[in-house]
Amino acid sequence: MKALLETLRPGDPDRKLAESIDPLRLPAHIAIIMDGNGRWARQRSLPRVAGHKAGVDAVRETVETCARLGIGALTLYAFSVENWKRPRTEVETLWRLLRFYLHRELDLLQENRIRLSALGRIDALPAIVREDLEECCSKTAQNRGMRLNLAINYGGRAELVDAFNRILDNARRDGSLPVLDVDEDLISSALYTRDQPDPDLLIRTSGEMRVSNFLLWQIAYSELYVTETLWPDFRRAHLLRAVADYQKRDRRFGGLTASEDDEQLVEVAGVRKA
Ligand code: FPP
């Protein structure tokens, strides 16, 4: 948070927003469904790929803001397993933009001590994209600041399939298959996000009310925040507003709030509240 405030001059309207955020109750992990690039382009009579290109600037600003704010992990949905159905030229442009981002932003990632990881079926990517991605991940692997996860060729169901197969393979290898006992911890430990906390906050841009096969297991208790803003227009202020909104939520994880808990204890003890 301190790092973010240092970059905001006193008159900057984002400063007030940043100051309204409690640094002790930040979401540990934010996940974002970056949606609306195509509509952004259409509104300007531009080709769809122009929306993706503009979306890269939103990625840059969001990554930097989250890192400076002190967010532990940020996961961006960049390419789903279903996105292969798009025209070949659009898919190729997305790969080009991803490579452009990786080359251009490596310094920014290093300066902010950001560790990059890729979530998804990375083996199926074009070799050149995979190589750039792996290189950037390994160059930042020692960084101990924010984790930046790019979900690429990612699907929530595919991740679960991969997790179950990983569990079975391990059990076959170590001979524990006949007595395999599956529980939630075992499944979590086999996901692509195995060493990271579940997202506290899931943001979706462009107003669509869908989770689109994103982090299906991990978002069980995430707070959802949907904004009408199209991804290429998403800026620091939008991110800060989402975090401020998250801090107003009453997270119950299926239980009761602390005050309701007290109330129930009083009732169980047979004492009426005044
Ligand atoms: C969804 O908008 C967006 C995508 C499928 C791609 C997201 C990619 C980027 C933001 C750029 C490259 C990414 C990185 C990480 C550098 P849409 O095309 O579905 O929009 P629409 O619903 O308005 O058509």
Side-chain angles (χ1 to χ4, degrees):
M1 170 67 101
K2 207 167 142 262
L4 179 67
L5 288 174
E6 277 166 10
T7 61
L8 298 170
R9 275 180 282 109
D12 192 321
D14 290 0
R15 192 177 173 95
K16 242 192 151 86
L17 256 174
E19 283 170 345
S20 74
I21 288 170
D22 178 352
L24 300 177
R25 289 188 307 117
L26 289 173
H29 184 169
I30 297 178
I32 307 185
I33 301 176
M34 309 182 287
D35 194 16
N37 295 354
R39 275 161 282 170
W40 184 93
R42 199 170 55 233
Q43 284 171 4
R44 290 161 179 76
S45 306
L46 293 169
R48 287 179 56 77
V49 291
H52 296 317
K53 195 155 175 264
V56 176
D57 292 334
V59 169
R60 173 182 236 266
E61 185 157 331
T62 302
V63 168
E64 200 167 21
T65 303
C66 285
R68 292 191 168 155
L69 189 56
I71 301 300
L74 171 67
T75 300
L76 301 176
Y77 203 2
F79 191 91
S80 75
V81 288
E82 289 84 14
N83 286 153
W84 292 105
K85 294 179 205 152
R86 295 189 176 202
R88 194 168 55 87
T89 49
E90 181 171 341
V91 172
E92 279 168 2
T93 300
L94 285 168
W95 298 143
R96 233 189 355 266
L97 287 173
L98 175 63
R99 294 187 62 218
F100 166 75
Y101 175 80
L102 295 173
H103 286 277
R104 193 185 66 174
E105 302 300 287
L106 181 61
D107 287 347
L108 180 104
L109 300 183
Q110 301 291 32
E111 271 163 35
N112 289 282
R113 297 182 306 108
I114 295 169
R115 176 177 165 192
L116 181 76
S117 301
L119 312 181
R121 292 183 168 166
I122 303 306
D123 290 351
L125 300 185
I128 188 88
V129 180
R130 201 179 59 234
E131 281 159 22
D132 282 356
L133 198 53
E134 281 166 356
E135 191 182 331
C136 211
C137 291
S138 79
K139 280 189 172 157
T140 60
Q142 302 308 318
N143 289 343
R144 290 293 168 261
M146 184 177 84
R147 300 283 306 258
L148 171 61
N149 304 306
L150 296 182
I152 301 171
N153 196 22
Y154 176 88
R157 290 182 175 185
E159 180 178 25
L160 287 170
V161 169
D162 290 351
F164 296 151
N165 279 318
R166 169 188 273 265
I167 290 169
L168 288 173
D169 283 349
N170 289 343
R172 275 190 207 104
R173 214 170 301 126
D174 67 18
S176 66
L177 189 57
V179 290
L180 181 62
D181 196 8
V182 177
D183 62 12
E184 291 190 10
D185 285 344
L186 183 66
I187 294 173
S188 293
S189 72
L191 298 172
Y192 305 144
T193 52
R194 62 186 74 90
D195 51 351
Q196 304 189 48
D198 289 340
D200 298 299
L201 172 62
L202 171 64
I203 299 173
R204 180 166 190 147
T205 58
S206 92
E208 303 290 349
M209 298 286 185
R210 285 190 290 275
V211 295
S212 298
N213 201 12
F214 190 40
L215 301 173
L216 295 181
W217 177 274
Q218 298 90 331
I219 61 168
Y221 288 104
S222 303
E223 294 297 323
L224 308 184
Y225 180 89
V226 176
T227 168
E228 293 292 329
T229 304
L230 303 177
W231 178 251
D233 291 327
F234 195 85
R235 286 294 175 273
R236 180 172 59 203
H238 299 99
L239 190 278
L240 295 176
R241 266 183 229 127
V243 172
D245 190 86
Y246 161 84
Q247 292 193 332
K248 290 193 208 120
R249 308 283 179 92
D250 175 19
R251 301 190 76 195
R252 295 158 48 139
F253 299 95
L256 300 175
T257 57
S259 59
E260 282 174 325
D261 225 1
D262 291 348
E263 210 168 282
Q264 225 187 32
L265 281 176
V266 169
E267 273 169 23
V268 169
V271 184
R272 281 257 144 257
K273 266 187 75 174

